[in-house]
Amino acid sequence: MDRNNRRRPLADVLAELVATARGDRKASLVVVNAKLVNVCTAEILEGMAVGVQEGRIAYVGRKPEKLIGPQTRVVDAAGRYLAPGFLDGHCHIESTQLTVTQFARAVLPLGTTGGFFDAHEISNVLGLKGLRLMLEEARRTPLAAYMQVASCVPSTSPELETSGASFGPEEVAEAFGWGPDMIGLGEVMNFPGVVYGDAVMLGEIEAALRAGRVADGHFTWPSHDERLIAYAASGITGDHECVTKEDVAERIRLGMYAKMRRGSAWHDVEETIKAHTELGLDPRRMMLVTDDRSVESLVDEGHMNFVIRNAIRQGVKPVTAIQMATINTAERFGVVRDVGTITPGSCADMVLLDGHLADVNVAMTICAGEVVAEKGRMVVDLEPAAYPEEVVRSVRLAGTPKPEDFVIAAPVAAGTLTARVIRVQENHVETKAEQRPVEVRGGQVDLAATAGGLCKIAVLERHHGTGGRSVALVEGIGFGRPAALAMTVAHDSHNLLVIGNDDALMARAAARAAELQGGAVIALDDGGAELPLPIAGLLSDAPFEQVAEQSRRLSEALQDAGCRLNYAFMTLSLLALVVIPELRLSDKGLVQITAEGISRVPLFVE
């Protein structure tokens, strides 16, 4: 059933809700004997009942008898907590490598009933067609799924990287015409473009504001930099690139919503939450989000239930933490009339919690008045989506990768040169720009003769078959044996990213990833592992349980090669994201991000 048939506008059903609240019409579902988590007042109300009609809440009170008829489903909370369904205020579904349907299957039992999803990964590959596919599939799930129009396709400019599509103000305006669930403009990563008046970036923000939508941010210059004020002056009112308590403080002081991120590999809540717990700032403009979570972490840790629990462990009161993932999020996007609270007229998205509130132990999930999950399992079936041929055949290389494609030519025949090196930081999105001595033999960089455990990193253009390719150096991978990783998940342009210390293995892994029409492949001298991702080279068409197992085998193979980074795949997939400091690689070459701006830099230091 299309979600729109379950989530009808309040104006269409208000008469039925009023009649039910009076007791003249029996409710379709009633939850009784609940401890209601009232996020409007930050209090717990004992002995409460909630009545549902037409997918919305008709009644919140203590006299449910008048609502119950022969056809009413009665859920006895038996003194357990009843909270609003959890909302993820910034999430890229593609980062899970799951389809929207399988993502819903994974997170609904965990209490996530909705989210605000920025599909800029698939948009960078397939353009508006990819965004529309995600939206239409989301509408067929129980989730209150709001989509954002990708603002940066590509993330910066064609001079710095090659993507599969390009968005401007016209594309943004067109997408907002698809319906009110196209909720806003996705994270504006080209923050220098906004600050310095780039016509395209300002035009996209203008298109969002004229459509009555909000614009989300992505500002990675230091928060005390006054250019943040110029960024906020553009109308951008939310930002998830907060890594310190000061980042949070500066944003909310400017009227923005600060999104505190706990992804699989981005552990920012521990520091950012101190804006509330140490600085004592009002939390109503603070939100908890995931940004990127792998399918493994969904299975092993959870989704928003885990993020809320983690915030509570940092000293946040349980009700306050729940507010940060419900009402705060809904208010930020202007949809608090529909989601984020348990109040009359709101959509009946609720979670029943076992045990102590701080445990955030989800026992039941209700979406639009329908019980969809109990005891950690779905109790309704979701139909898989179908994808057209061009969506599952999106990898177009100029030719089969060969070992010589990964040779780094040097400007001297032999000797020692100083090279720029990307240094990976575990559990952080930022890299460090380092300079390291490298040995040259026969006019090529010789890794075997170079100390420090460096690897090669390459990006091969895969959208248009141009043959574009660049090769550089990276440290912090940890490979202790010949190994290579190739993947078409390479934020945000999602070209073919290859990391390794052996040219032949790099070629083998890259060729296999192309043969799979997308995915992640680890090549070792005695085997390896692979995760096929045929949908746009980003998503699997398999059930989430199977994808999680394939992803786990990939992680084990990486560990076997010596790479023991926490959720390494997630961290490594960002090494081509040329809008995050300090040094990245695209198909056009090395890109350095500083306080002065973004620019290409040569591999060798003069």
Side-chain angles (χ1 to χ4, degrees):
M1 180 187 295
D2 191 294
R3 188 191 75 228
N4 291 338
N5 293 330
R6 287 190 289 258
R7 296 182 178 276
R8 296 168 61 192
L10 176 58
D12 291 353
V13 298
L14 62 86
E16 291 90 335
L17 298 183
V18 172
T20 303
R22 289 196 311 263
D24 294 341
R25 183 173 178 180
K26 302 306 179 186
S28 58
L29 178 141
V30 176
V31 180
V32 298
N33 301 321
K35 293 178 182 175
L36 180 66
V37 181
N38 192 315
V39 293
C40 298
T41 58
E43 61 183 335
I44 306 297
L45 302 176
E46 303 263 1
M48 297 296 290
V50 177
V52 177
Q53 190 67 265
E54 300 291 346
R56 288 185 176 265
I57 295 170
Y59 176 88
V60 179
R62 290 187 170 87
K63 299 179 180 179
E65 297 80 9
K66 62 181 178 181
L67 310 177
I68 299 172
Q71 305 302 315
T72 303
R73 176 171 183 176
V74 179
V75 174
D76 188 352
R80 292 177 289 182
Y81 294 96
L82 185 68
F86 306 143
L87 302 172
D88 192 339
H90 181 73
C91 174
H92 306 288
I93 293 176
E94 302 101 311
S95 293
T96 66
Q97 281 82 62
L98 301 174
T99 63
V100 183
T101 303
Q102 289 302 317
F103 174 81
R105 285 191 62 240
V107 303
L108 283 165
L110 305 175
T112 299
T113 59
F116 300 84
F117 304 114
D118 186 349
H120 70 214
E121 318 301 353
I122 201 167
S123 296
N124 268 281
V125 178
L126 300 174
L128 286 179
K129 177 182 293 185
L131 178 59
R132 189 67 183 255
L133 283 169
M134 295 282 282
L135 175 67
E136 296 295 342
E137 185 173 355
R139 286 173 172 170
R140 292 191 293 272
T141 75
L143 289 171
Y146 298 92
M147 289 288 173
Q148 294 179 275
V149 187
S151 64
C152 295
V153 180
S155 67
T156 51
S157 71
E159 287 73 35
L160 294 179
E161 59 185 331
T162 304
S163 65
S166 179
F167 282 6
E170 291 184 2
E171 287 78 13
V172 170
E174 178 181 341
F176 285 138
W178 297 343
D181 47 358
M182 292 302 306
I183 197 69
L185 188 66
E187 56 180 296
V188 182
M189 295 180 288
N190 187 1
F191 51 92
V194 175
V195 170
Y196 293 112
D198 179 82
V200 173
M201 292 315 310
L202 295 184
E204 290 186 13
I205 297 170
E206 181 181 345
L209 299 180
R210 290 193 184 282
R213 305 312 208 276
V214 298
D216 258 349
H218 174 119
F219 186 92
T220 61
W221 281 329
S223 58
H224 60 265
D225 190 318
E226 283 213 339
R227 286 174 292 188
L228 178 62
I229 301 171
Y231 193 64
S234 72
I236 292 172
T237 50
D239 189 9
H240 67 284
E241 288 297 330
C242 304
V243 296
T244 67
K245 60 187 177 184
E246 291 80 12
D247 289 344
V248 172
E250 291 299 328
R251 282 156 177 78
I252 62 178
R253 285 168 182 160
L254 293 174
M256 302 173 77
Y257 279 82
K259 302 181 180 187
M260 299 175 291
R261 171 175 52 195
R262 183 56 158 86
S264 298
W266 334 133
H267 298 182
D268 296 328
V269 170
E270 287 81 349
E271 288 301 317
T272 55
I273 202 69
K274 293 176 182 177
H276 171 59
T277 58
E278 291 185 3
L279 301 182
L281 299 184
D282 191 312
R284 289 302 292 273
R285 283 183 178 261
M286 301 178 190
M287 297 162 52
L288 295 171
V289 305
T290 65
D291 197 1
D292 302 294
R293 282 189 77 72
S294 72
V295 63
E296 286 178 79
S297 58
L298 292 181
V299 172
D300 294 344
E301 296 176 334
H303 192 237
M304 290 307 298
N305 59 329
F306 169 77
V307 179
I308 295 168
R309 189 183 308 124
N310 178 62
I312 294 169
R313 289 173 179 169
Q314 309 309 315
V316 181
K317 293 180 180 179
V319 175
T320 303
I322 291 172
Q323 285 176 315
M324 291 177 174
T326 55
I327 188 171
N328 294 12
T329 306
E331 287 179 341
R332 184 270 174 280
F333 287 98
V335 290
V336 74
R337 175 64 282 171
D338 290 328
V339 295
T341 71
I342 298 178
T343 52
S346 296
C347 292
D349 296 343
M350 302 175 285
V351 292
L352 201 59
L353 305 174
D354 273 341
H356 297 291
L357 187 59
D359 296 335
V360 200
N361 184 18
V362 179
M364 176 182 288
T365 305
I366 299 169
C367 283
E370 179 183 8
V371 177
V372 297
E374 292 185 70
K375 298 179 181 178
R377 295 185 178 276
M378 293 292 293
V379 294
V380 297
D381 294 326
L382 305 182
E383 293 183 8
Y387 297 92
E389 180 70 12
E390 62 266 29
V391 173
V392 296
R393 300 199 63 82
S394 65
V395 179
R396 304 177 188 89
L397 296 180
T400 301
K402 301 176 178 60
E404 52 265 34
D405 294 336
F406 303 99
V407 168
I408 299 178
V412 298
T416 303
L417 295 176
T418 299
R420 290 182 172 86
V421 174
I422 303 167
R423 178 160 65 84
V424 175
Q425 296 192 104
E426 187 173 32
N427 293 332
H428 290 278
V429 296
E430 305 90 352
T431 65
K432 289 296 182 182
E434 306 288 0
Q435 295 184 8
R436 298 283 184 262
V438 296
E439 299 303 317
V440 176
R441 303 285 187 273
Q444 303 174 5
V445 171
D446 188 341
L447 283 187
T450 298
L454 298 181
C455 283
K456 292 181 179 179
I457 177 171
V459 177
L460 284 63
E461 193 279 320
R462 67 101 163 177
H463 301 293
H464 312 290
T466 64
R469 180 181 73 251
S470 61
V471 188
L473 297 166
V474 63
E475 68 176 338
I477 305 300
F479 286 160
R481 55 181 290 194
L485 166 66
M487 52 191 181
T488 50
V489 178
H491 303 269
D492 274 339
S493 286
H494 298 291
N495 288 299
L496 180 56
L497 176 66
V498 191
I499 300 169
N501 55 12
D502 181 284
D503 294 348
L505 290 178
M506 291 176 76
R508 192 177 94 193
R512 179 56 179 161
E515 182 182 7
L516 290 171
Q517 275 298 306
V521 177
I522 296 174
L524 305 173
D525 50 9
D526 60 353
E530 62 186 37
L531 170 59
L533 301 171
I535 301 171
L538 301 173
L539 310 175
S540 172
D541 55 0
F544 83 85
E545 297 91 342
Q546 180 180 332
V547 182
E549 184 55 36
Q550 291 173 321
S551 181
R552 199 179 307 280
R553 288 199 293 268
L554 201 75
S555 297
E556 290 170 353
L558 275 172
Q559 291 175 5
D560 185 41
C563 179
R564 293 179 170 81
L565 295 168
N566 181 46
Y567 291 111
F569 181 86
M570 188 72 71
T571 299
L572 301 180
S573 71
L574 293 190
L575 294 181
L577 182 50
V578 299
V579 293
I580 296 183
E582 294 177 344
L583 190 63
R584 307 280 161 162
L585 184 71
S586 79
D587 64 303
K588 300 291 182 72
L590 279 172
V591 179
Q592 188 155 0
I593 305 93
T594 67
E596 286 70 45
I598 304 175
S599 61
R600 286 172 57 182
V601 293
L603 173 61
F604 297 107
V605 180
E606 294 183 2

